[in-house]
Amino acid sequence: QVQLQESGPGVVKPSETLSLTCSVSGYSISSGYFWGWIRQSPGKGLEWIATLYHSGSTNYSPSLKSRVTISLDTSRNQFSLEMKSVTAADTGVYYCAREWAGGYSDFWGQGTLVTVSS
Amino acid sequence: EIVLTQSPGTLSLSPGERATLSCRASQSVSSYLAWYKQKPGQAPRLLIYGASSRATGIPPRFSGSGSGTDFTLTISRLEPEDFAVYYCQQYGISPRTFGQGTKVEFK
């Protein structure tokens, strides 16, 4: 059974960089599938952020592309998200997920709450 | 980007009743539509993909239909664990987008 677990700081100051990691167990991410980040906030609902293929190719939401980087660490079976210049609008629950090529997510992490506040 | 509009916002029903949830896309997404269920404090769970294919482990009381711009999720007989928020998501046109959700609550 594939399991995903997000980790990262619960609080980030405005204008700083948010860094999150997703640890995957039960499947080697270098073997295939797509891996992505999705967030949820009361104001914007569920919002797709970025997706990474096991080969390293990436796809970003146009609205976040200038601030976001998704990357792979196959040696640790993890993938990560960096988001620069955060504001209060970036507050929410961040989920990592396994995605099928078509773009839907079949396995999700439990989510991690990120609050942007000074 | 594609806007998905879900209706109704809230559905008040009793266990054993039939639930019919709607999702309308601002332009055609073919059959590239998924449905998720989310309970408080939990991550969304995939129910349906490809508009009508049930995900692994999803009971047959859940069914999806539609194509193009109009989609429906039907729960034939509500079980207590089905009271939750349901989201549709399109993945036919990038960026993938989600609907705002329909809450199925106890009547």
Side-chain angles (χ1 to χ4, degrees):
Chain A
Q1 177 82 336
V2 180
Q3 292 186 312
L4 300 95
Q5 176 70 58
E6 305 89 351
S7 60
V11 181
V12 183
K13 289 182 168 54
S15 80
E16 293 191 345
T17 296
L18 165 65
S19 295
L20 296 173
T21 296
C22 182
S23 299
V24 180
S25 59
Y27 187 83
S28 172
I29 59 177
S30 60
S31 297
Y33 287 104
F34 292 75
W35 306 90
W37 290 94
I38 296 159
R39 68 182 181 182
Q40 185 171 30
S41 62
K44 299 192 76 173
L46 286 162
E47 181 182 16
W48 169 70
I49 302 171
T51 294
L52 175 70
Y53 189 46
H54 72 95
S55 65
S57 64
T58 58
N59 189 18
Y60 296 101
S61 169
S63 65
L64 296 169
K65 185 173 184 175
S66 63
R67 299 193 292 127
V68 169
T69 303
I70 188 172
S71 59
L72 198 62
D73 185 344
T74 55
S75 65
R76 297 186 178 188
N77 216 38
Q78 296 175 337
F79 61 102
S80 299
L81 178 75
E82 279 202 348
M83 181 179 290
K84 301 182 296 187
S85 306
V86 298
T87 69
D90 295 311
T91 292
V93 178
Y94 285 70
Y95 296 100
C96 60
R98 189 180 81 168
E99 301 179 3
W100 283 79
Y104 59 87
S105 303
D106 61 348
F107 286 98
W108 297 62
Q110 65 185 28
T112 186
L113 175 62
V114 175
T115 302
V116 179
S117 174
S118 54
Chain B
E1 67 180 40
I2 303 288
V3 175
L4 297 178
T5 302
Q6 292 187 240
S7 61
T10 302
L11 204 47
S12 299
L13 296 167
S14 300
E17 290 193 296
R18 181 183 188 90
T20 303
L21 289 67
S22 174
C23 177
R24 176 164 288 178
S26 58
Q27 64 186 83
S28 176
V29 297
S30 186
S31 294
Y32 297 110
L33 190 105
W35 290 93
Y36 300 87
K37 165 186 168 182
Q38 187 178 35
K39 305 202 82 169
Q42 296 181 13
R45 182 184 181 186
L46 178 68
L47 299 173
I48 301 286
Y49 62 94
S52 60
S53 297
R54 272 190 304 276
T56 302
I58 301 304
R61 66 179 182 272
F62 290 91
S63 62
S65 63
S67 66
T69 61
D70 290 299
F71 301 88
T72 301
L73 174 69
T74 301
I75 310 171
S76 59
R77 288 178 57 86
L78 283 164
E79 298 286 342
E81 62 267 28
D82 299 336
F83 291 86
V85 180
Y86 292 82
Y87 295 96
C88 57
Q89 179 222 332
Q90 69 81 20
Y91 50 98
I93 296 177
S94 187
R96 62 203 74 177
T97 51
F98 293 84
Q100 83 281 14
T102 289
K103 182 179 182 181
V104 178
E105 65 174 22
F106 284 101
K107 186 173 181 180

